[in-house]
Amino acid sequence: MDAKPESHKLIFEKEGVYLHTNAKRSNQDTTIPGFIRIVERDGEPALEWSPVEEDVRNAPAVFYTKKDGEGGEEETKFDPGYEPDWAVISTVKQEKRQEHPPVRETGHWGSFSLPLSELYSLRRARFSLGRNFLVLTTRGGDPLPPLHFHRGGTRELLKAMQRYIRLAPSPMDGRLFLAYPHDSGALSQSFDELHLFDDTSADLVSRFIQDPYATTFGGFSKVTNFFRGAIRHPESPLSNRSPQDAHFPHPADEEPGFELITCGAELGPRPVVKRGKPLDNWDQFLDPEGRVTDPQKLKEIVFRGGIVPSLRKEVWKFLLGFYPWNSTAKEREDILRVKTDEYFRMKVQWKSVSEEQEMRNSLFRGYRSLIERDVNRTDRHNSFFSGNENPGLTLLHDVLMTYCMYNFDLGYVQGMSDLLSPLLFVTQNEVESFWCLTGFMDLVHQNFEESQEAMKQQLLQLSLLLRALDPELCDYLDSQDSGSLCFCFRWLLIWFKREFSFEDILSLWEVLWTRLPCENFHLLMACSILESQKEELIGSNHDFNSILKHINELTMKLDLQTVLCGAEAIYLQLTHCKELPLKVQEVLGQHVPSSSSEQSPDSEPTETDTLLAQSEARGASSCQPFNGQTPQRPPPTYP
C-alpha cells in the first residue's frame, strides 16, 4: 500500500521568538530570530520553533525522545567551565538519535519540534531588561533552550496550547504551569506520584553541570518563588484562581507582559552589620584548671572578629574538636599523648607497605599518586610549602597518606590538600594538624563522597536562599542556562579556599568553624557574593560562558570583611521575616521538621515540600510532613 501523505495543519504562528546562544566568535549571532508555531501533524499537535532563514514550511528536526530507558551508550563528559581537576565527571545515558541532526551544529541552533503530549511543564519569567521568556521541560527530561519573546505573544501561545492540554498554574509559583491531557486525572494525584524529580541516580549534581535545563528546569525550577505557598494549604485563597486571573492567558489583543513576582514574604530592610574585634585574650576564658568557662561567648567573639594570629594554634584545636571545651590542662596533655601514639601507629601502617604489596593494591596506589601530584601544587606561593626540598611538603604528604589509613573508605579526594595546608601552617605540627584535619573533615567529608549528595543538597539550598533574596537575579541566571549555580561548586566544596588569599582563609575558616549564626553560613556568603555581582552580570548582559568566566575571575578580588558583613546582614534580614517559608527556615536552622505522625489540616505536604524532599532522598515516594507548629530559635546574641 502507498504511504498516506502527512496531514499538516497550522494552528498558531508567531514571529519574533528568539533563541539566545553562547556563541563566542564574532561572525556568529548570539540571538537567533525565529517562528514559534503550533502545528497538527496527522492529528497530533506539536510545538515547533524554526529560525527565520529556514523555509517556514520545512519540517524541523525533532528535538525530544520519549523516556524508554532503552539503548544509548555511556559517555563520560567533563564540565568545560572548570579546570579538568575540578570537573565533575558524569556518566549518563545518551539516547541514540541518528535519525535527526543534533540541535547544535557548528555553533548554530537548529529547529525543534515537541509534541504537546510530551510537554511536562512550562515556566514563564521576565527580568528587568524587559524580555519575556518561556522555559519548557519535556517528560523525557531533554533540555530545551529558553524561548525569548521580543515582540510579545506569550499569552496568545498559552491560549492556543490550552485547546489541546490543560495548563495548571502552581499555587506556589504563578510562573509555573504543569501540563496535563484534558482527560487526565493526574491533577488529583499527590505531587509525589507525579515524580517531579524523576531521577534516582547518584549523579544529579553532575547532571546539573552537564545539562542545567534537563535537571534544573526539570525539577528545581518548579519550586521557584513558592515561598508564600510553602506555608499555606494548597486550598487557600491564593490557589483559587479564576480564568481571568493574571496566571491565565489574557485576551489575544492584550500583552501586558509578566508581573515580576518576588518572594511572597516581605523581607523588610537589610540591617547594617559591622565586624567586631578579634579574640585577643585567651586566658580570661580559662578557669584555674584550664577549662573554657564560656565556649558560646568565645565562639561569638570569634564569629564577629576572628582570632589574633598568636592564639590560633591553641583555639583552633578547640574549634575543630581536638580538645573538648570542658577539658582541663592535665586532661589535654593526656589526650595529646594518646592521639600522638594513635597517629604514628597509622602512619607506620602505610609506611610499611612494600612495593610488591602496593603493586597489588590499586586503590592504595591511586591514593598515593593523587596525593603526590596535589602536594606538589598546593599553596606553593606560601613560604611554608615553597621550594623543592621543603619539609612542609613532606609533612603535607605524610598527613594526607595517614588520613587515608584513618578513613580508607573515603581515602583521598582532590581538594583535601587545600583543607590541610592552612591547618599545617598554623599548628606547625604533624600530629595536631592531622587531628584538626579529621575534625574539619567531620564537617565537610560529605562534600567529597562519590555520590555528591551533599553537594547537590547545598546547591539546592543555595538556590532557595538566592531566590528568596533576589528572584530577579535568579530569573536572569535561569535565562542564561546558569540557574543550576554550577559555578558555585568549587566555593562550596572547599569553603572558598581558592577565592580568597591565604591569610583571609585563616580568618574565614575560624569564623565558619563556630557554626554561627547557623551551620549554612557559607551558603549565605555565596549569596552575598552573587548579590554583589548582580549589576555586572545583568547590566553587561553576560551569557552562560561569560558568567562562568566572570565568577572564576573573582578569585583574589573579593574583600572578605565586606562579604562577611553582607552574609550576616542577609541572615538577620531573613530571620526577622515573620512569614519566612519553612524550607528557607530549615536552611537557616530556624525550623526542624516534626517527626510526629499527627498532622494538622494545614500541614499537608505542598508541591514544594515534595520537590525538595525528593531531592533530599532519591527515590522517596513521599515527603516528610510538617507539623503545623513552627519552633523558632532566637538569633544568637553577639557581644
Side-chain angles (χ1 to χ4, degrees):
M1 292 179 63
D2 295 335
K4 295 182 179 180
E6 182 184 40
S7 173
H8 175 98
K9 182 179 180 181
L10 180 64
I11 305 300
F12 173 85
E13 183 178 57
K14 178 68 178 177
E15 190 180 1
V17 181
Y18 286 67
L19 296 188
H20 291 202
T21 73
N22 297 323
K24 284 291 186 181
R25 282 175 272 175
S26 60
N27 63 342
Q28 292 179 319
D29 293 331
T30 58
T31 58
I32 309 298
F35 293 85
I36 190 72
R37 303 182 183 89
I38 296 177
V39 179
E40 283 189 8
R41 298 185 184 277
D42 290 332
E44 182 175 10
L47 184 69
E48 300 182 350
W49 181 91
S50 61
V52 171
E53 60 266 21
E54 289 190 5
D55 183 348
V56 295
R57 291 297 176 259
N58 282 348
V62 176
F63 182 35
Y64 84 99
T65 53
K66 293 188 178 181
K67 188 172 55 176
D68 54 19
E70 298 178 357
E73 58 185 8
E74 301 227 338
E75 179 180 345
T76 301
K77 290 186 176 182
F78 286 85
D79 168 29
Y82 294 109
E83 56 182 295
D85 289 326
W86 289 104
V88 178
I89 302 174
S90 173
T91 302
V92 296
K93 282 285 185 180
Q94 298 291 340
E95 298 292 341
K96 293 182 178 179
R97 300 176 184 170
Q98 289 88 346
E99 300 177 3
H100 307 291
V103 168
R104 206 187 296 224
E105 287 187 0
T106 64
H108 295 283
W109 285 97
S111 307
F112 68 78
S113 176
L114 176 69
L116 290 182
S117 60
E118 286 296 306
L119 177 65
Y120 186 69
S121 70
L122 64 86
R123 181 170 176 268
R124 62 183 192 178
R126 181 191 186 198
F127 49 88
S128 59
L129 297 180
R131 289 198 299 263
N132 303 327
F133 63 94
L134 293 180
V135 176
L136 308 177
T137 302
T138 73
R139 297 190 183 279
D142 288 284
L144 290 171
L147 300 173
H148 294 257
F149 289 74
H150 287 205
R151 303 176 189 174
T154 52
R155 300 194 186 281
E156 297 99 312
L157 175 63
L158 294 180
K159 185 176 181 179
M161 292 172 67
Q162 289 194 109
R163 294 178 54 182
Y164 304 99
I165 57 176
R166 295 179 63 181
L167 294 176
S170 166
M172 279 66 74
D173 186 349
R175 297 170 290 188
L176 174 65
F177 294 82
L178 300 180
Y180 305 99
H182 278 299
D183 59 350
S184 172
L187 285 175
S188 63
Q189 301 175 7
S190 70
F191 281 98
D192 284 331
E193 294 170 323
L194 296 178
H195 303 295
L196 297 180
F197 259 122
D198 192 11
D199 178 66
T200 57
S201 66
D203 63 342
L204 185 56
V205 170
S206 302
R207 289 186 57 206
F208 274 154
I209 295 179
Q210 301 296 335
D211 270 334
Y213 280 96
T215 48
T216 305
F217 290 118
F220 189 72
S221 69
K222 297 177 180 60
V223 301
T224 54
N225 205 18
F226 71 91
F227 301 107
R228 187 172 295 277
I231 55 176
R232 294 187 178 185
H233 191 273
E235 297 178 359
S236 68
L238 183 63
S239 62
N240 297 329
R241 308 289 185 180
S242 66
Q244 286 73 34
D245 187 85
H247 298 321
F248 282 80
H250 285 209
D253 58 352
E254 183 181 357
E255 180 63 33
F258 298 126
E259 176 186 1
L260 184 59
I261 303 175
T262 57
C263 177
E266 292 294 334
L267 294 182
R270 185 171 299 178
V272 177
V273 172
K274 295 183 179 180
R275 300 288 294 160
K277 295 182 179 180
L279 175 69
D280 58 2
N281 190 340
W282 172 244
D283 292 338
Q284 69 173 336
F285 287 96
L286 302 179
D287 69 10
E289 293 184 329
R291 298 183 185 87
V292 178
T293 57
D294 194 345
Q296 182 64 22
K297 183 175 180 59
L298 185 146
K299 286 191 284 187
E300 289 170 356
I301 294 175
V302 173
F303 170 75
R304 294 308 309 277
I307 307 169
V308 296
S310 61
L311 295 180
R312 279 179 175 147
K313 180 177 181 179
E314 188 66 20
V315 181
W316 279 20
K317 288 180 281 189
F318 287 85
L319 291 172
L320 292 170
F322 182 35
Y323 291 145
W325 293 100
N326 61 351
S327 61
T328 65
K330 177 63 171 63
E331 289 170 341
R332 291 196 287 273
E333 292 177 2
D334 296 336
I335 290 172
L336 179 58
R337 183 172 59 254
V338 171
K339 292 293 187 181
T340 300
D341 291 344
E342 186 177 354
Y343 172 80
F344 282 106
R345 281 198 302 271
M346 290 185 289
K347 183 174 180 178
V348 167
Q349 289 176 355
W350 67 265
K351 280 279 193 179
S352 62
V353 174
S354 66
E355 291 185 6
E356 292 183 358
Q357 287 178 301
E358 186 171 330
M359 289 299 297
R360 293 190 293 271
N361 191 331
S362 60
L363 190 58
F364 178 84
R365 191 169 63 251
Y367 288 155
R368 185 195 290 271
S369 175
L370 286 174
I371 289 171
E372 290 175 350
R373 182 187 66 177
D374 285 354
V375 162
N376 287 325
R377 58 184 184 180
T378 299
D379 291 324
R380 298 304 299 273
H381 61 280
N382 189 296
S383 59
F384 192 80
F385 304 104
S386 62
N388 295 327
E389 302 297 330
N390 194 316
L393 297 179
T394 302
L395 292 177
L396 195 64
H397 172 273
D398 289 358
V399 171
L400 292 173
M401 286 296 300
T402 306
Y403 186 83
C404 287
M405 305 308 297
Y406 173 81
N407 188 353
F408 203 82
D409 286 341
L410 179 61
Y412 177 80
V413 181
Q414 191 195 17
M416 291 168 58
S417 62
D418 282 283
L419 303 186
L420 174 59
S421 60
L423 303 176
L424 193 56
F425 173 80
V426 168
T427 61
Q428 306 276 305
N429 182 283
E430 181 178 1
V431 174
E432 293 178 353
S433 66
F434 171 82
W435 291 110
C436 286
L437 176 64
T438 63
F440 197 177
M441 288 300 295
D442 286 343
L443 300 177
V444 299
H445 71 93
Q446 292 180 330
N447 289 3
F448 298 92
E449 292 178 354
E450 186 176 1
S451 69
Q452 299 177 345
E453 284 297 300
M455 292 303 299
K456 174 201 71 176
Q457 177 69 5
Q458 289 176 76
L459 288 170
L460 289 171
Q461 291 174 331
L462 176 58
S463 297
L464 274 176
L465 292 173
L466 189 62
R467 195 164 294 278
L469 293 165
D470 200 328
E472 180 187 0
L473 176 58
C474 286
D475 279 346
Y476 182 79
L477 295 175
D478 285 348
S479 73
Q480 303 300 326
D481 292 13
S482 300
S484 65
L485 303 180
C486 65
F487 46 79
C488 300
F489 188 91
R490 188 174 70 188
W491 294 1
L492 308 184
L493 181 71
I494 53 174
W495 280 15
F496 305 94
K497 171 63 163 54
R498 299 195 177 183
E499 319 314 317
F500 294 97
S501 68
F502 192 88
E503 183 59 36
D504 277 348
I505 285 298
L506 305 183
S507 300
L508 170 60
W509 283 1
E510 60 198 15
V511 168
L512 295 178
W513 290 335
T514 67
R515 314 306 277 164
L516 295 177
C518 66
E519 293 187 356
N520 285 320
F521 190 69
H522 64 299
L523 300 182
L524 297 172
M525 285 194 56
C527 289
S528 177
I529 295 173
L530 291 175
E531 281 201 319
S532 72
Q533 302 303 308
K534 174 182 176 179
E535 182 177 350
E536 168 63 24
L537 293 175
I538 297 181
S540 299
N541 197 22
H542 284 288
D543 61 14
F544 176 84
N545 290 326
S546 58
I547 287 174
L548 191 61
K549 181 175 183 291
H550 176 77
I551 294 298
N552 285 339
E553 289 176 349
L554 294 177
T555 299
M556 304 302 165
K557 297 178 181 178
L558 299 168
D559 180 74
L560 176 61
Q561 299 305 316
T562 300
V563 173
L564 286 172
C565 288
E568 185 181 357
I570 289 172
Y571 174 82
L572 294 174
Q573 181 186 30
L574 291 174
T575 54
H576 288 165
C577 175
K578 295 181 180 180
E579 297 183 347
L580 196 66
L582 296 183
K583 283 298 178 181
V584 180
Q585 291 182 39
E586 288 179 31
V587 177
L588 300 176
Q590 297 290 302
H591 172 80
V592 179
S594 172
S595 59
S596 171
S597 59
E598 298 181 0
Q599 299 183 43
S600 67
D602 293 333
S603 63
E604 294 294 327
T606 65
E607 174 187 4
T608 297
D609 296 331
T610 302
L611 284 170
L612 294 177
Q614 288 180 336
S615 72
E616 294 161 3
R618 293 170 297 135
S621 61
S622 62
C623 66
Q624 187 76 7
F626 291 123
N627 186 292
Q629 299 296 321
T630 304
Q632 296 286 339
R633 298 180 191 171
T637 57
Y638 308 123

mmCIF file of all heavy atoms in Angstrom, residues 47-64:
data_model
loop_
_atom_site.group_PDB
_atom_site.id
_atom_site.type_symbol
_atom_site.label_atom_id
_atom_site.label_comp_id
_atom_site.label_asym_id
_atom_site.label_seq_id
_atom_site.Cartn_x
_atom_site.Cartn_y
_atom_site.Cartn_z
ATOM 1 N N LEU A 47 4.478 21.632 19.289
ATOM 2 C CA LEU A 47 5.028 22.977 19.405
ATOM 3 C C LEU A 47 6.345 22.985 18.660
ATOM 4 O O LEU A 47 7.224 22.156 18.932
ATOM 5 C CB LEU A 47 5.233 23.338 20.881
ATOM 6 C CG LEU A 47 5.713 24.761 21.179
ATOM 7 C CD1 LEU A 47 4.621 25.773 20.846
ATOM 8 C CD2 LEU A 47 6.123 24.897 22.646
ATOM 9 N N GLU A 48 6.509 23.918 17.711
ATOM 10 C CA GLU A 48 7.687 23.920 16.858
ATOM 11 C C GLU A 48 8.322 25.300 16.824
ATOM 12 O O GLU A 48 7.626 26.318 16.870
ATOM 13 C CB GLU A 48 7.324 23.484 15.426
ATOM 14 C CG GLU A 48 6.722 22.089 15.361
ATOM 15 C CD GLU A 48 6.416 21.652 13.939
ATOM 16 O OE1 GLU A 48 6.505 22.509 13.023
ATOM 17 O OE2 GLU A 48 6.095 20.471 13.735
ATOM 18 N N TRP A 49 9.638 25.302 16.735
ATOM 19 C CA TRP A 49 10.375 26.542 16.523
ATOM 20 C C TRP A 49 11.356 26.324 15.392
ATOM 21 O O TRP A 49 11.986 25.258 15.285
ATOM 22 C CB TRP A 49 11.134 26.942 17.778
ATOM 23 C CG TRP A 49 11.902 28.245 17.608
ATOM 24 C CD1 TRP A 49 11.453 29.502 17.882
ATOM 25 C CD2 TRP A 49 13.245 28.398 17.117
ATOM 26 N NE1 TRP A 49 12.414 30.438 17.580
ATOM 27 C CE2 TRP A 49 13.531 29.794 17.108
ATOM 28 C CE3 TRP A 49 14.210 27.522 16.671
ATOM 29 C CZ2 TRP A 49 14.749 30.298 16.697
ATOM 30 C CZ3 TRP A 49 15.436 28.023 16.244
ATOM 31 C CH2 TRP A 49 15.687 29.405 16.259
ATOM 32 N N SER A 50 11.486 27.330 14.523
ATOM 33 C CA SER A 50 12.467 27.266 13.448
ATOM 34 C C SER A 50 13.008 28.664 13.212
ATOM 35 O O SER A 50 12.287 29.658 13.359
ATOM 36 C CB SER A 50 11.843 26.707 12.164
ATOM 37 O OG SER A 50 10.783 27.536 11.728
ATOM 38 N N PRO A 51 14.271 28.768 12.835
ATOM 39 C CA PRO A 51 14.853 30.086 12.570
ATOM 40 C C PRO A 51 14.269 30.713 11.319
ATOM 41 O O PRO A 51 13.755 30.025 10.434
ATOM 42 C CB PRO A 51 16.348 29.791 12.406
ATOM 43 C CG PRO A 51 16.424 28.352 12.053
ATOM 44 C CD PRO A 51 15.268 27.690 12.722
ATOM 45 N N VAL A 52 14.360 32.025 11.243
ATOM 46 C CA VAL A 52 13.755 32.769 10.138
ATOM 47 C C VAL A 52 14.339 32.350 8.802
ATOM 48 O O VAL A 52 13.617 32.247 7.805
ATOM 49 C CB VAL A 52 13.938 34.292 10.348
ATOM 50 C CG1 VAL A 52 13.522 35.060 9.109
ATOM 51 C CG2 VAL A 52 13.140 34.744 11.558
ATOM 52 N N GLU A 53 15.642 32.060 8.743
ATOM 53 C CA GLU A 53 16.253 31.806 7.445
ATOM 54 C C GLU A 53 15.825 30.486 6.838
ATOM 55 O O GLU A 53 16.032 30.233 5.662
ATOM 56 C CB GLU A 53 17.787 31.832 7.558
ATOM 57 C CG GLU A 53 18.369 30.802 8.517
ATOM 58 C CD GLU A 53 18.574 31.402 9.898
ATOM 59 O OE1 GLU A 53 17.919 32.423 10.196
ATOM 60 O OE2 GLU A 53 19.406 30.868 10.648
ATOM 61 N N GLU A 54 15.214 29.592 7.653
ATOM 62 C CA GLU A 54 14.753 28.337 7.084
ATOM 63 C C GLU A 54 13.430 28.540 6.351
ATOM 64 O O GLU A 54 12.673 29.472 6.614
ATOM 65 C CB GLU A 54 14.575 27.288 8.181
ATOM 66 C CG GLU A 54 15.878 26.789 8.766
ATOM 67 C CD GLU A 54 15.648 25.579 9.667
ATOM 68 O OE1 GLU A 54 14.499 25.107 9.735
ATOM 69 O OE2 GLU A 54 16.623 25.124 10.258
ATOM 70 N N ASP A 55 13.126 27.628 5.464
ATOM 71 C CA ASP A 55 11.822 27.626 4.803
ATOM 72 C C ASP A 55 10.764 27.443 5.879
ATOM 73 O O ASP A 55 10.797 26.491 6.645
ATOM 74 C CB ASP A 55 11.748 26.460 3.805
ATOM 75 C CG ASP A 55 10.437 26.463 3.028
ATOM 76 O OD1 ASP A 55 9.511 27.219 3.409
ATOM 77 O OD2 ASP A 55 10.357 25.712 2.053
ATOM 78 N N VAL A 56 9.794 28.363 5.953
ATOM 79 C CA VAL A 56 8.843 28.348 7.050
ATOM 80 C C VAL A 56 7.950 27.126 7.013
ATOM 81 O O VAL A 56 7.250 26.842 7.979
ATOM 82 C CB VAL A 56 7.967 29.623 7.024
ATOM 83 C CG1 VAL A 56 8.813 30.834 7.274
ATOM 84 C CG2 VAL A 56 7.194 29.732 5.718
ATOM 85 N N ARG A 57 7.951 26.374 5.942
ATOM 86 C CA ARG A 57 7.120 25.176 5.883
ATOM 87 C C ARG A 57 7.936 23.894 5.986
ATOM 88 O O ARG A 57 7.395 22.813 5.898
ATOM 89 C CB ARG A 57 6.293 25.159 4.587
ATOM 90 C CG ARG A 57 5.216 26.236 4.547
ATOM 91 C CD ARG A 57 4.200 26.004 5.657
ATOM 92 N NE ARG A 57 3.202 27.070 5.692
ATOM 93 C CZ ARG A 57 3.224 28.061 6.545
ATOM 94 N NH1 ARG A 57 4.202 28.138 7.432
ATOM 95 N NH2 ARG A 57 2.277 28.983 6.532
ATOM 96 N N ASN A 58 9.261 24.017 6.132
ATOM 97 C CA ASN A 58 10.075 22.816 6.293
ATOM 98 C C ASN A 58 9.801 22.191 7.649
ATOM 99 O O ASN A 58 9.672 22.886 8.648
ATOM 100 C CB ASN A 58 11.570 23.143 6.190
ATOM 101 C CG ASN A 58 11.987 23.322 4.745
ATOM 102 O OD1 ASN A 58 11.238 22.985 3.823
ATOM 103 N ND2 ASN A 58 13.183 23.847 4.539
ATOM 104 N N ALA A 59 9.757 20.906 7.697
ATOM 105 C CA ALA A 59 9.565 20.216 8.971
ATOM 106 C C ALA A 59 10.847 20.296 9.775
ATOM 107 O O ALA A 59 11.912 19.912 9.295
ATOM 108 C CB ALA A 59 9.193 18.757 8.726
ATOM 109 N N PRO A 60 10.791 20.796 10.977
ATOM 110 C CA PRO A 60 12.003 20.921 11.775
ATOM 111 C C PRO A 60 12.474 19.578 12.297
ATOM 112 O O PRO A 60 11.720 18.609 12.360
ATOM 113 C CB PRO A 60 11.562 21.822 12.942
ATOM 114 C CG PRO A 60 10.100 21.572 13.070
ATOM 115 C CD PRO A 60 9.602 21.300 11.687
ATOM 116 N N ALA A 61 13.742 19.542 12.661
ATOM 117 C CA ALA A 61 14.287 18.330 13.265
ATOM 118 C C ALA A 61 13.635 18.091 14.616
ATOM 119 O O ALA A 61 13.389 19.019 15.373
ATOM 120 C CB ALA A 61 15.805 18.478 13.435
ATOM 121 N N VAL A 62 13.356 16.829 14.910
ATOM 122 C CA VAL A 62 12.718 16.507 16.182
ATOM 123 C C VAL A 62 13.730 16.655 17.304
ATOM 124 O O VAL A 62 14.845 16.152 17.223
ATOM 125 C CB VAL A 62 12.165 15.067 16.145
ATOM 126 C CG1 VAL A 62 11.587 14.683 17.494
ATOM 127 C CG2 VAL A 62 11.096 14.954 15.066
ATOM 128 N N PHE A 63 13.327 17.355 18.335
ATOM 129 C CA PHE A 63 14.235 17.610 19.459
ATOM 130 C C PHE A 63 13.600 17.092 20.741
ATOM 131 O O PHE A 63 13.271 17.825 21.629
ATOM 132 C CB PHE A 63 14.512 19.104 19.561
ATOM 133 C CG PHE A 63 15.472 19.470 20.651
ATOM 134 C CD1 PHE A 63 16.522 18.637 20.981
ATOM 135 C CD2 PHE A 63 15.330 20.654 21.350
ATOM 136 C CE1 PHE A 63 17.402 18.983 21.977
ATOM 137 C CE2 PHE A 63 16.201 20.999 22.352
ATOM 138 C CZ PHE A 63 17.246 20.163 22.653
ATOM 139 N N TYR A 64 13.338 15.802 20.789
ATOM 140 C CA TYR A 64 12.863 15.177 22.006
ATOM 141 C C TYR A 64 12.949 13.680 21.802
ATOM 142 O O TYR A 64 12.987 13.186 20.688
ATOM 143 C CB TYR A 64 11.412 15.559 22.328
ATOM 144 C CG TYR A 64 10.395 14.705 21.605
ATOM 145 C CD1 TYR A 64 9.776 13.639 22.247
ATOM 146 C CD2 TYR A 64 10.092 14.938 20.265
ATOM 147 C CE1 TYR A 64 8.862 12.842 21.573
ATOM 148 C CE2 TYR A 64 9.184 14.146 19.599
ATOM 149 C CZ TYR A 64 8.569 13.096 20.251
ATOM 150 O OH TYR A 64 7.678 12.315 19.588
#
